Amino acid sequence: MEDVKIPRATAKRLPLYYRYLVFLNDEGKEKVSSTELSEAVQVDSASIRRDFSYFGALGKRGYGYDVKRLLDFFKKILNQDTLTNVALVGVGNMGHALLNYNFKRTNNIRISAAFDVNAEITGKIMNGVPVYHTEDLKKQLSEQQIEIAILAVPKDQAQSTADELIEAGIKGIMNFTPIRISTPSNVRVQNVDLATELQTLIYFLEQDNQ
Amino acid sequence: MEDVKIPRATAKRLPLYYRYLVFLNDEGKEKVSSTELSEAVQVDSASIRRDFSYFGALGKRGYGYDVKRLLDFFKKILNQDTLTNVALVGVGNMGHALLNYNFKRTNNIRISAAFDVNAEITGKIMNGVPVYHTEDLKKQLSEQQIEIAILAVPKDQAQSTADELIEAGIKGIMNFTPIRISTPSNVRVQNVDLATELQTLIYFLEQDNQ
């Protein structure tokens, strides 16, 4: 199982499945069909069956999927037993919203350190998270063994901060800046570009209207 | 050209291409190769060529693409000449960050109305945007002919607010809540689920480490 190579699109749907299974399990439900799953997570049932097939036959025809078994399975895949600490770099408006964002909801993720240059907030604890000065980035990331960072700095500092993060041993960056940062091939970047998301939505609406 | 049906993955890359072309044009560059484009937007050049092929042959082998021509072309496709007004529903931490987010940067999008129930902010103007009470949602959206909304309310209000938005004539929703809202088939939803994005990044990092 550890060697399964799954498509990126499938990987992106795993947390969705997981979250809904947590919900079903909490409700005491024991079985779920791909149709029900499909409606809840808004993914067509053919894709769900194909996604699940990458991990071996987990469901029985006419019976559906066993909620507890699926849940244990996804928990393992998604490493939900281990808390993942991430760093937040840049505590402006967006950074502040991210500090308040509940990543722990069903995912075992926690922002455990934040960094900024603003003297009004460095050295303080915000939302339970210590805000360090960016000059302590390398030291803190190394001491806290943090490998994942959320980049929410102003765009003119995006690349230089990313470079520092990589030098400090960061292996994954969730990039909130509009800049496409360049990184070595062993560093993963997940871009969250809100203007692009909105533009895509508008584009599809215009297509619908034609 | 208006009838071109392009894959969703291609459509999602259009705003990226557009933004980089704006940058090149501002820099006075006249030509760009698919390799240069590829490095800048971090999309492999085969995908770029395939994406562009949906719109007809826009480049010449060995010459590259004409920046101004491409720019005009994408501007038209992305309807960048028209300002798109969108509504923000829910001005909590994330909503506040979104009010400060520069959607206009290179995309012609503007949050022109915000809605909340908090008496401390309703009736005021925040970041140049009037904040109305949510009870005025229908009236304002209709008067301002807004068809796109960003949903950033608490999760227990996600579905009911989405229902109100749809009743008010909204055709596209950028959903910042962790809830997968149900909508009629003529309403487009773009989910921005930050916990899932981060979880996906972590998943891939773990795969890399194996």
Side-chain angles (χ1 to χ4, degrees):
Chain A
M1 193 181 96
E2 283 89 30
D3 293 305
V4 169
K5 283 281 165 224
I6 61 159
R8 193 173 175 83
T10 299
K12 289 192 87 157
R13 288 190 284 261
L14 296 184
L16 283 181
Y17 298 146
Y18 176 72
R19 188 176 312 158
Y20 187 61
L21 288 165
V22 168
F23 167 79
L24 286 178
N25 193 49
D26 289 350
E27 299 276 295
K29 265 202 95 180
E30 290 176 7
K31 278 185 280 184
V32 64
S33 67
S34 51
T35 316
E36 282 171 275
L37 254 177
S38 170
E39 277 168 25
V41 298
Q42 307 270 310
V43 172
D44 64 286
S45 51
S47 297
I48 291 181
R49 283 190 296 269
R50 200 177 49 243
D51 286 350
F52 285 10
S53 75
Y54 288 110
F55 310 105
L58 288 164
K60 278 182 217 149
R61 193 170 279 279
Y63 171 89
Y65 298 94
D66 186 294
V67 171
K68 244 197 174 69
R69 235 188 106 205
L70 263 188
L71 190 60
D72 287 346
F73 185 77
F74 280 112
K75 204 172 198 167
K76 221 188 241 165
I77 295 186
L78 292 172
N79 210 10
Q80 291 289 326
D81 289 333
T82 319
L83 176 68
T84 305
N85 287 316
V86 307
L88 169 69
V89 189
V91 192
N93 282 304
M94 185 51 76
H96 194 251
L98 292 170
L99 272 185
N100 284 279
Y101 193 86
N102 191 5
F103 288 105
K104 271 202 94 167
R105 199 172 355 100
T106 52
N107 303 99
N108 217 345
I109 304 170
R110 183 178 170 260
I111 295 178
S112 56
F115 297 89
D116 205 285
V117 290
N118 179 358
E120 280 176 37
I121 55 171
T122 53
K124 294 191 179 154
I125 291 173
M126 285 175 81
N127 260 60
V129 180
V131 183
Y132 301 96
H133 194 282
T134 309
E135 65 197 14
D136 295 329
L137 195 69
K138 210 167 161 181
K139 182 172 176 289
Q140 286 300 331
L141 292 181
S142 141
E143 274 187 21
Q144 301 189 34
Q145 299 188 9
I146 295 175
E147 293 198 322
I148 295 168
I150 302 173
L151 187 62
V153 296
K155 67 176 176 173
D156 56 341
Q157 288 151 47
Q159 186 61 55
S160 59
T161 310
D163 293 344
E164 278 182 67
L165 286 172
I166 292 157
E167 220 191 303
I170 286 289
K171 293 281 175 281
I173 298 174
M174 187 166 166
N175 178 21
F176 262 89
T177 79
I179 305 295
R180 293 271 150 156
I181 50 175
S182 17
T183 55
S185 60
N186 65 330
V187 174
R188 291 258 183 191
V189 179
Q190 187 91 353
N191 293 301
V192 180
D193 187 328
L194 302 179
T196 297
E197 297 279 345
L198 200 45
Q199 185 67 62
T200 307
L201 178 64
I202 292 167
Y203 173 81
F204 279 114
L205 285 180
E206 276 152 15
Q207 295 293 103
D208 289 346
N209 286 340
Q210 273 167 16
Chain B
M1 194 182 96
E2 284 88 32
D3 293 306
V4 170
K5 282 282 165 223
I6 61 162
R8 192 174 176 83
T10 299
K12 289 192 88 158
R13 288 190 285 261
L14 296 184
L16 283 181
Y17 298 146
Y18 175 73
R19 187 176 311 158
Y20 186 61
L21 288 164
V22 168
F23 167 79
L24 287 178
N25 194 48
D26 289 350
E27 300 275 296
K29 266 202 95 179
E30 291 177 6
K31 280 186 279 185
V32 64
S33 67
S34 52
T35 316
E36 284 171 275
L37 254 176
S38 170
E39 277 168 25
V41 299
Q42 308 268 310
V43 173
D44 63 287
S45 52
S47 296
I48 291 182
R49 283 191 297 268
R50 200 178 49 244
D51 286 350
F52 285 12
S53 75
Y54 287 110
F55 310 105
L58 289 164
K60 278 181 219 150
R61 191 169 282 279
Y63 169 91
Y65 299 93
D66 186 292
V67 170
K68 245 198 172 68
R69 235 188 107 206
L70 264 187
L71 191 60
D72 287 346
F73 185 77
F74 281 113
K75 205 172 195 166
K76 221 187 241 167
I77 294 186
L78 291 172
N79 210 9
Q80 290 288 328
D81 290 332
T82 319
L83 177 69
T84 306
N85 287 317
V86 306
L88 169 68
V89 188
V91 191
N93 281 304
M94 185 51 75
H96 194 252
L98 292 171
L99 271 186
N100 283 279
Y101 193 86
N102 190 4
F103 287 106
K104 270 201 96 168
R105 198 173 355 100
T106 52
N107 304 99
N108 217 345
I109 304 169
R110 183 178 169 260
I111 295 178
S112 56
F115 297 89
D116 205 286
V117 290
N118 179 358
E120 282 175 37
I121 55 171
T122 54
K124 294 191 180 154
I125 291 173
M126 286 174 81
N127 260 58
V129 180
V131 183
Y132 301 95
H133 194 282
T134 309
E135 67 197 12
D136 296 329
L137 196 68
K138 209 167 162 181
K139 181 172 176 289
Q140 286 300 331
L141 293 180
S142 142
E143 272 187 22
Q144 301 189 34
Q145 299 188 9
I146 296 175
E147 292 197 324
I148 295 168
I150 302 173
L151 187 63
V153 296
K155 66 175 177 174
D156 55 340
Q157 287 152 46
Q159 186 60 56
S160 59
T161 310
D163 293 344
E164 277 181 69
L165 286 172
I166 292 157
E167 219 190 305
I170 286 290
K171 294 281 176 281
I173 298 174
M174 187 166 166
N175 178 20
F176 262 88
T177 78
I179 303 296
R180 293 273 150 155
I181 50 175
S182 17
T183 55
S185 61
N186 65 329
V187 175
R188 291 259 182 190
V189 179
Q190 187 91 352
N191 293 300
V192 180
D193 187 329
L194 302 178
T196 297
E197 296 280 346
L198 200 44
Q199 185 68 61
T200 307
L201 179 64
I202 293 168
Y203 173 80
F204 279 113
L205 285 180
E206 276 153 15
Q207 295 293 103
D208 289 346
N209 286 340
Q210 271 169 17

